[in-house]
Amino acid sequence: MQPVQAMSLARYACDPARSRGRRHPELPAPTRSVFQRDRDRIVHCTAFRRLVYKTQVFLNHEGDLFRTRLTHSLEVAQLGRSIARSLQLNEDLVEAIALAHDLGHTPFGHAGQDALHACLKALDAAGAGFEHNMQSLRVVDSLEESYPGFNGLNLSFETREGILKHCSRRNAERIELREPGGVARRFAGPTVGRNPDWAGWRQPVLEAQLTNLADEIAYNAHDIDDGVRSGLLTLEQLEEVTLFSRFRAEALGHHPVLQGRRLLFEALRRMLSEQVYDVMNATRAAVLASQAGGFEDICRYGPLVSFTPDMASQSGELKKFLHRNLYRHPQVVQTTEAAKGVVRDLFAAYLNDPAQMVGLAYSAQVAAGRTPARVIADYVAGMTDRFATREYQRLTGRKAFAE
Ligand code: MG
């Protein structure tokens, strides 16, 4: 039996038969490609199930209809696969990266991450701190414990490379020491790595570049939707965003009596489609102009998956609008500050009494050479919003958030 590929791939698509492989060699699966197998391992892992109760922007307890990390990841996978199919890129790889890209997020979104980073840095200023992309890699490389022969999910190089979408240079150099010429090479300094073949290697495969952009397209659109649903943004306010107002006007042109949520959805639907077509066209043109030979060659060029310059600037305007009016909205900032306090207090409580981390083989992990702070950070980062909130109440006797 042979792995079945849904459709033919472009020469610049990532070919699973030429994957750089897994860290622990395994026999190939009889019917699935390496990337299909990666995707399946991700869907079945514990960290993936936790995404359902992790915050995207609005905290889990604030409403049932807001995006969570899980629904966000599914939207990224949908958009990414749609674009990948049109460009004849490898949909399975895009899907695997999309479903795993947020596995390392803490509870309470970026607030949790910032608080955890500060906790780690306070104990070890020169240490790695906390980066969610690096944590996503830790989850799939070492924190999942369900296989007999290795820790983590033992994913392929290409999926891991896509998961590590950003990394600070110092942290990249740390990863390089363990894995020379590996997934962090492109973020590390020019003096790191001994293989001269890697000198020009600056980009991941196109499927990883695409998933990165699909992430941005997804959150820009769904944060508008969630922002309006929460009452923190209004349709009138959104009129100042060129991209949105254009499609709102277009939607009204076709459906003059449309209003409220249906108008919002129709404008967002048109905006999403336009961005997807824009990426398809801009990327097709960039790949052709690059004259790149195959997918191994692609990495030597600058980013090839992109918006057209006009769409990039409109998307940037929308991002700035969301920062100003939603992510920094006083009500969001208030819950963000409360969430930071919860993470800080949990970290301190476990540092004070590690036995409170129920079900964790703490001593064994420290004996294996991991610092107490890192063991605690992994434990806290893995929590859902719900579990973190309950733990906070159990350990402090206080409610984490005002009802
Ligand atoms: Mg994301």
Side-chain angles (χ1 to χ4, degrees):
M1 282 188 284
Q2 290 289 318
V4 180
Q5 182 62 49
M7 61 183 294
S8 64
L9 296 176
R11 66 183 155 74
Y12 44 81
C14 199
D15 179 356
R18 284 148 67 203
S19 164
R20 289 180 61 190
R22 304 179 189 282
R23 295 194 303 160
H24 307 278
E26 291 184 67
L27 290 172
T31 58
R32 294 172 296 163
S33 75
V34 284
F35 306 136
Q36 287 173 304
R37 202 181 197 186
D38 283 355
R39 186 260 331 271
D40 297 347
R41 286 182 178 190
I42 292 158
V43 168
H44 288 276
C45 81
T46 312
F48 184 72
R49 287 193 294 282
R50 288 178 173 150
L51 296 178
V52 71
Y53 290 115
K54 286 198 176 199
T55 286
Q56 180 67 26
V57 172
F58 292 93
L59 301 194
N60 190 257
H61 68 267
E62 291 181 304
D64 291 347
L65 297 180
F66 296 123
R67 265 66 174 190
T68 65
R69 290 268 167 220
L70 181 66
T71 60
H72 161 71
S73 300
L74 295 174
E75 290 184 33
V76 176
Q78 181 276 315
L79 288 166
R81 286 189 58 165
S82 192
I83 300 169
R85 185 173 295 199
S86 156
L87 295 173
Q88 290 180 280
L89 293 176
N90 195 309
E91 281 182 61
D92 299 320
L93 176 55
V94 167
E95 188 177 21
I97 298 170
L99 296 179
H101 84 284
D102 274 353
L103 289 179
H105 268 288
T106 60
F108 314 127
H110 284 271
Q113 166 183 279
D114 295 347
L116 211 43
H117 181 69
C119 291
L120 286 171
K121 283 289 187 183
L123 292 177
D124 178 11
F130 188 90
E131 285 182 355
H132 71 263
N133 291 301
M134 226 174 133
Q135 190 70 10
S136 296
L137 191 65
R138 275 174 74 71
V139 168
V140 300
D141 277 358
S142 52
L143 296 182
E144 284 287 320
E145 297 176 322
S146 52
Y147 291 86
F150 47 79
N151 284 331
L153 304 177
N154 198 29
L155 302 181
S156 70
F157 178 89
E158 293 76 13
T159 302
R160 296 175 57 240
E161 175 195 51
I163 290 171
L164 190 67
K165 67 176 180 180
H166 299 298
C167 185
S168 69
R169 180 165 163 174
R170 289 194 65 182
N171 282 344
E173 289 170 355
R174 286 187 174 93
I175 298 175
E176 267 291 301
L177 289 175
R178 298 196 301 268
E179 189 187 347
V183 290
R185 179 64 190 89
R186 65 197 158 104
F187 303 109
T191 56
V192 177
R194 285 159 229 131
N195 187 343
D197 287 349
W198 292 103
W201 192 61
R202 286 290 175 268
Q203 294 297 320
V205 292
L206 292 180
E207 285 80 357
Q209 296 180 36
L210 166 53
T211 313
N212 211 348
L213 197 50
D215 187 21
E216 183 179 325
I217 296 173
Y219 66 66
N220 276 339
H222 67 49
D223 288 352
I224 292 179
D225 181 18
D226 284 354
V228 172
R229 182 182 299 281
S230 69
L232 302 184
L233 295 180
T234 62
L235 282 178
E236 291 66 37
Q237 230 180 333
L238 281 157
E239 275 303 284
E240 70 177 79
V241 182
T242 313
L243 194 58
F244 183 82
S245 66
R246 174 150 68 102
F247 293 107
R248 181 175 183 257
E250 197 182 281
L252 282 171
H254 284 83
H255 308 279
V257 295
L258 213 54
Q259 54 181 323
R261 298 207 61 77
R262 275 185 205 263
L263 174 58
L264 174 68
F265 287 148
E266 185 57 23
L268 286 177
R269 192 175 292 125
R270 285 166 185 267
M271 189 182 99
L272 276 175
S273 294
E274 184 71 13
Q275 290 190 299
V276 163
Y277 297 137
D278 186 271
V279 173
M280 287 173 181
N281 293 331
T283 302
R284 207 173 270 124
V287 170
L288 277 178
S290 77
Q291 298 184 316
F295 81 91
E296 288 111 335
D297 198 24
I298 284 285
C299 307
R300 298 179 187 283
Y301 293 83
L304 295 175
V305 178
S306 65
F307 286 131
T308 56
D310 187 39
M311 182 59 84
S313 95
Q314 289 186 41
S315 173
E317 184 200 16
L318 168 56
K319 262 187 177 176
K320 281 191 194 122
F321 170 88
L322 287 169
H323 269 279
R324 218 169 37 243
N325 297 289
L326 183 62
Y327 311 141
R328 290 193 209 131
H329 189 287
Q331 206 171 308
V332 173
V333 170
Q334 195 183 8
T335 38
T336 297
E337 288 308 311
K340 282 183 186 171
V342 170
V343 168
R344 266 196 306 268
D345 289 355
L346 284 177
F347 189 91
Y350 296 135
L351 196 61
N352 182 48
D353 183 6
Q356 293 298 334
M357 292 183 283
V358 179
L360 183 76
Y362 174 79
S363 307
Q365 296 207 26
V366 173
R370 299 169 62 201
T371 64
R374 182 60 60 185
V375 176
I376 295 167
D378 286 340
Y379 187 70
V380 174
M383 291 179 177
T384 61
D385 287 22
R386 292 206 306 182
F387 184 69
T389 304
R390 281 202 298 262
E391 277 291 274
Y392 180 82
Q393 189 158 1
R394 180 178 75 82
L395 293 166
T396 68
R398 300 192 299 271
K399 278 204 180 300
F401 301 98
E403 297 285 304

